[in-house]
Amino acid sequence: MFIKWIKCQVKEENKSSFSNAQEGWGELKQLDGFIGQIGGWDKNIPFEAGIISFWRDDRSYQAFMEQQHDEIFEKSNQRNTYSNISVHIYEKMFNISTTDMTDFLSKGSLLRVADCFVETNKQLEFKRMQKEVWNKGMKA
């Protein structure tokens, strides 16, 4: 799985326009390899929008970027609705449970995302601790 995490700073007067422009990205549903996308406003930073999208793999994401992205972006009229944007790309590292994450995306009612910085030499320990905490929670 391929994950794209986007954060946009939006001026107060542009929040409505930004939200309306986001609806133009509904065309993604038609694309091969697109799994889903969700977004919202940061509770702690009221003028920062977060959007996370899920793709089957790097190949389908790259095809979208080369063939459809710019056209959808122009049609959405989103260019002037935000003042800053940051985009980060991730590949799924592991499933904490045996359930495939795509099941959560299609059946879940709540998605919690943690954006963490983990030093390279501590990644294995971080993964181990995440699995440990998850397993304890599942037994409670």
Side-chain angles (χ1 to χ4, degrees):
M1 182 181 301
F2 203 72
I3 303 164
K4 182 176 185 178
W5 176 237
I6 305 166
K7 291 192 278 186
C8 295
Q9 278 67 51
V10 179
K11 292 180 182 170
E12 183 174 12
E13 63 268 18
N14 291 335
K15 279 183 86 169
S16 179
S17 297
F18 180 87
S19 293
N20 290 336
Q22 273 302 114
E23 293 178 20
W25 293 93
E27 292 184 38
L28 293 172
K29 291 186 281 190
Q30 316 303 321
L31 301 181
D32 182 46
F34 178 71
I35 297 170
Q37 177 169 294
I38 189 166
W41 298 102
D42 189 314
K43 249 175 46 169
N44 300 316
I45 309 170
F47 302 111
E48 182 171 277
I51 302 121
I52 189 166
S53 62
F54 301 89
W55 295 83
R56 181 181 56 229
D57 51 34
D58 177 49
R59 191 177 77 246
S60 53
Y61 171 73
Q62 290 303 327
F64 154 69
M65 289 303 292
E66 292 168 8
Q67 299 167 19
Q68 290 97 1
H69 176 275
D70 293 351
E71 181 181 339
I72 295 172
F73 179 72
E74 291 302 323
K75 283 198 298 189
S76 76
N77 204 22
Q78 195 160 30
R79 180 179 308 279
N80 297 317
T81 64
Y82 57 89
S83 58
N84 191 30
I85 186 169
S86 66
V87 177
H88 299 278
I89 304 295
Y90 303 92
E91 290 208 52
K92 180 178 80 170
M93 291 172 41
F94 61 91
N95 277 343
I96 293 176
S97 73
T98 57
T99 306
D100 189 330
M101 191 170 164
T102 55
D103 288 342
F104 293 126
L105 295 172
S106 64
K107 298 174 187 166
S109 60
L110 173 69
L111 174 65
R112 179 176 181 227
V113 176
D115 189 2
C116 305
F117 172 78
V118 180
E119 294 179 25
T120 304
N121 63 337
K122 302 202 175 175
Q123 287 179 1
L124 291 176
E125 178 66 8
F126 179 79
K127 286 184 196 180
R128 186 189 65 72
M129 300 265 314
Q130 294 299 306
K131 288 180 183 181
E132 189 177 299
V133 168
W134 174 264
N135 289 330
K136 282 181 185 175
M138 294 303 284
K139 293 175 185 171

